[in-house]
Amino acid sequence: MDFPRALRERRTRRHLSQLDLALRAGTTQRHLSFIESGRSVPGRKMVVRLAESLELPLRERNELLLAAGYAPAYPESALDDPVLAPVRTAIDHILRGHLPYPALVVDRNGDLIAANSAFDRITEGVSPELFGPGTNIYRLALHPDGLAPRIRNLAEWARHILARLGHLEELRAELTGYVPQLDPSAGLLGFAVPLHLQTSYGELHLITTVTTFATAVDVTLAELKLEAFLPADAATAEALSVAAAGAAAASD
């Protein structure tokens, strides 16, 4: 990778001038101009400062360091590495804490890491090949053998899903082919894009929240996302509570 070009592309992508970035990184516009033109070779600390000032994800910071000829600064541990054992414990605790509402954890590509038992309310009836550890939740959402046939507002929800796939071009192209040319309904969507999903417990109206480990300095941990599905109305909250009670009674 050409470091000057890589730096310039990341700066312009964030709509920052050379002066803006120089001020953030504690250097001068002249020095930054020399770096971007290849006339000056930055030290490792300067590359780290520039990456931090650009607020790049940890993976991109490592890529920028490699492009400049330096070793990566941030480790990328396997999720089953003992060093991340506290993280796995925390994930399990958080997933259980969201019950009776569905919640799951995915990696940067949307591949499933873990889910709580309430997520079964959402995935009932989907093809087994589309759901399980390592499968892709975006494909699960829009595949004809996944959730798509039961999503009552498929046009809005598909647009919401596809907008999240900017770095996954092949997957976006695949999923776009599954979505019919539907026009989103007229009018305002409200305060969030909802998911209207038909289930055996009635039509659920759900909104989602996404949580990340904000202070992570490990690439794997920084890229994990916990997505929780919360009821958008009282009827959905009641249906999920009834479903949880039924599942608990069945397991006794």
Side-chain angles (χ1 to χ4, degrees), residues 164-221:
R164 300 169 65 174
L165 304 181
H167 68 295
L168 301 170
E169 294 182 5
E170 290 186 11
L171 181 61
R172 181 186 174 91
E174 175 195 338
L175 300 190
T176 299
Y178 297 144
V179 179
Q181 295 298 315
L182 301 175
D183 293 327
S185 58
L188 297 175
L189 292 173
F191 60 87
V193 178
L195 170 63
H196 294 173
L197 185 68
Q198 189 62 45
T199 73
S200 60
Y201 295 90
E203 185 171 305
L204 303 181
H205 294 181
L206 301 160
I207 56 175
T208 62
T209 63
V210 176
T211 304
T212 61
F213 290 88
T215 58
V217 291
D218 184 283
V219 175
T220 300
L221 180 56

Side-chain angles (χ1 to χ4, degrees), residues 54-74:
L54 287 167
E55 299 179 348
L56 297 178
L58 299 190
R59 182 178 296 277
E60 282 197 60
R61 297 184 193 189
N62 279 347
E63 290 173 352
L64 206 60
L65 281 162
L66 286 169
Y70 300 110
Y74 306 96

Side-chain angles (χ1 to χ4, degrees), residues 11 39 61 67 101 117 135 141 147 153 162 173 190 196 242:
R11 175 179 61 77
R39 297 171 63 187
R61 297 184 193 189
Y101 305 141
S117 58
T135 55
L147 302 182
N153 60 331
L162 294 174
H196 294 173
V242 169

